[in-house]
Structures are given as structure tokens and as C-alpha cells.
Amino acid sequence: MGEFDLIDTVTAHGQQPASTILGPGDDAAIISAPDGRVVVSVDMFVNGVHFRTDWASGEQIGRRAALASLADLAAMGAAPTAMVIAISAPADTPAELIEGIGRGLHEVAAQVGAGIVGGDMTRSDVLSIAVTVMGDLQGADPVLRSGAKPGETLAVAGRLGWAAAGLAVLSRGFRSPMVMVSAYREPQPPLVAGITAASFGATSMIDISDGLLADVGHIAAASHVAINIRTAALDLHPRLVEVASALGKDAMTWLLTGGDDHALVATFPAGSAMPPGFTAIGTVTQGSGVTVDGAPFDGPAGWDHYR
């Protein structure tokens, strides 16, 4: 199709929200920022690392990339306003695959009220997608990783372990149970829950991309606190246990260390009401590090690209 036709395919066919002053087509886009601040995050998605084209359609890959990126805005308590997409791909990549990725990106953007305001396309050896997302705090304070304090409650919103189960199923060459496979192909991050958590006084928050233990560890390190997670409080669904048993895996390990569900985990002041959709799963204390039922976890805490 050519570079600029492909850029148009990804960027030029969606509706723009009122926050978009100038959308795709010029050297840069212009986005309004009535709050005076813009929350920005970027994520890279690489074929063979974050997705596989033989495991998912272009639409599923596009939706996955958008949803995973938007979860970072949710973890700050921000509402999404705009997305910028860059795609690099081998020259022989089917145009239909790129078109599908574009459709998936636009579907999610429309769902959350954000505009895809620009993009770039280049040739490379491996298909990669970079998604930059921008959000609006709407006058509120951002929720950082560094605000947790001893005595507070740790709570989670969203599913844990389902994407890890789906990855295990796909890695064995299976395509069912579909509910697990779908959880890996397209996460269901509780995007609205991030803004809700902020309104309920969340003191810290992060989205779970690499694993519950790994990402709670980022809160503990940034806040200079210790956090204990209670396994009895986690939602160990019977379907997860069934699939884990069939594959010779441990379902609780999926919940504790599996990434890609992009659930939100946050801390709240002691005694405060939990926001809708959040479940208390642990406590914050003085000290450092993360424990499980009061003891160190034996094994990797989650995904690390370089280990």
C-alpha cells in the first residue's frame, strides 16, 4: 500500500473528541488541555514478545495494544483524551493485518472517548507497535506509586491470572478454553476504576502488567513501605484451578505473578470504604518489600524482559 496509505489506514478514519483541536494530517497534532496538565505514557508491543500474529487477529492485536496502554492512564487517575500510534513492519507484512490493527485501535479509542491524532510508519525486521496515550486529570491530583503509608489497605480491581492462563494454553498449542485465550488476546482493564479510586482517596496505584507481586513491589519501593498480600483474599476462580491442573501448573502462581491482565492495584487509608469493584487483598506496614501471607515469595515475582 505504501507508507502514507498505511498511516492513513491507522489514523484517519476515527471520530475525534472535542479535545482534539487538530487531528491527523499535519506535522503534529494539537490537543486541548483545559486542566493545564497532560498525563503521557508510551508502550511498545513487539511481535513474538507481546503478541503473536498466529495467535491473534489484527483487530485483537490493536485492541490489546490500546487497552494495555490506557491502563497506565487509569493507574494515574486520568481520563484518556488522545493516542498517537507508530508501527514498524517488514515490507511483506499483509496490508490486511495493518488495517486490522488500525480497526482494533480505533474501536478502543471510540469506547473510551479518545482520538487517534497521529502516527508514523516505518520498515523494520519485526512488526512492532508503539502506542502513546495522553490523559486529563480533570482538576484532580494524580495518584502516584509513592503515596502508600503504613496502616493502609491494599486493594485490587479487575481479573488476575486469566491472561497468564491463556498464555499457558496457547503455548501448549491449544485454543481453548476460549475464556482464557481471550483474556490473553484482549485484556479487560478496569479503566474507569482508576478515576473512581482517585475520587475515593487512593494514596497509590499501579496497573498490573508484569505480575501482582512485581508491580506491588514498585509501590512498596517508591513508598518506602512493606506490603503483605493475603492469598485467601484473592479470587481463585475454579476455572483457573481446573485449567492449571490440566496443564500441570499452579493457579495461585498465575494470580501472584502472571501479567497482562492490567488489573489495578491501589492503597487506601485505613478504615476507608472500598470503591466499587475493588477488593481488599493486603496491608501496608513499615519496612520494605512484598510478602505473601507474611513470608517472602519463593520464585520470580513476575515478568522481566531482561531476565
Side-chain angles (χ1 to χ4, degrees):
M1 290 180 66
E3 176 184 355
F4 295 101
D5 288 336
L6 286 170
I7 292 173
D8 288 343
T9 294
V10 176
T11 63
H13 304 298
Q15 297 295 317
Q16 296 293 337
S19 57
T20 302
I21 298 173
L22 179 67
D26 219 300
D27 290 287
I30 303 174
I31 310 299
S32 65
D35 179 86
R37 301 167 296 176
V38 178
V39 182
V40 181
S41 180
V42 63
D43 275 305
M44 284 284 296
F45 303 89
V46 180
N47 189 20
V49 178
H50 302 90
F51 64 88
R52 281 177 45 171
T53 56
D54 59 334
W55 283 359
S57 67
E59 288 87 346
Q60 290 168 332
I61 293 168
R63 287 194 290 268
R64 174 189 171 96
L67 288 165
S69 301
L70 290 166
D72 287 323
L73 296 183
M76 301 292 288
T81 57
M83 303 166 64
V84 178
I85 312 299
I87 298 177
S88 63
D92 60 355
T93 302
E96 294 79 7
L97 177 61
I98 304 299
E99 291 172 343
I101 291 171
R103 285 193 297 271
L105 290 163
H106 276 295
E107 287 170 5
V108 174
Q111 290 170 9
V112 301
I116 295 180
V117 299
D120 191 23
M121 188 86 190
T122 190
R123 186 171 64 186
S124 67
D125 294 333
V126 179
L127 174 62
S128 301
I129 309 164
V131 181
T132 300
V133 291
M134 287 161 270
D136 183 11
L137 290 167
Q138 300 174 324
D141 292 330
V143 184
L144 309 181
R145 300 178 181 183
S146 56
K149 299 176 182 62
E152 294 185 336
T153 299
L154 182 77
V156 67
R159 301 189 303 192
L160 295 174
W162 291 76
L167 175 59
V169 169
L170 287 165
S171 297
R172 294 290 184 91
F174 303 122
R175 295 296 184 269
S176 64
M178 184 55 66
V179 65
M180 307 294 180
V181 172
S182 296
Y184 177 75
R185 287 172 172 164
E186 296 182 49
Q188 296 181 10
L191 299 178
V192 176
I195 298 175
T196 303
S199 70
F200 271 69
T203 57
S204 68
M205 187 157 50
I206 192 172
D207 87 293
I208 303 172
S209 56
D210 296 325
L212 176 63
L213 296 182
D215 290 315
V216 168
H218 295 316
I219 291 179
S223 299
H224 305 289
V225 296
I227 298 177
N228 181 60
I229 294 172
R230 302 189 309 273
T231 56
L234 298 176
D235 182 16
L236 186 57
H237 195 280
R239 197 74 174 102
L240 283 175
V241 176
E242 178 184 336
V243 173
S245 177
L247 296 178
K249 300 290 185 179
D250 177 52
M252 183 56 70
T253 300
W254 284 342
L255 267 68
L256 292 171
T257 67
D260 292 325
D261 284 300
H262 297 282
L264 295 177
V265 64
T267 55
F268 297 92
S272 63
M274 289 294 104
F278 276 85
T279 301
I281 62 167
T283 53
V284 183
T285 61
Q286 293 183 347
S288 63
V290 179
T291 54
V292 178
D293 295 329
F297 182 76
D298 183 18
W303 173 256
D304 186 322
H305 282 283
Y306 294 100
R307 289 183 180 175

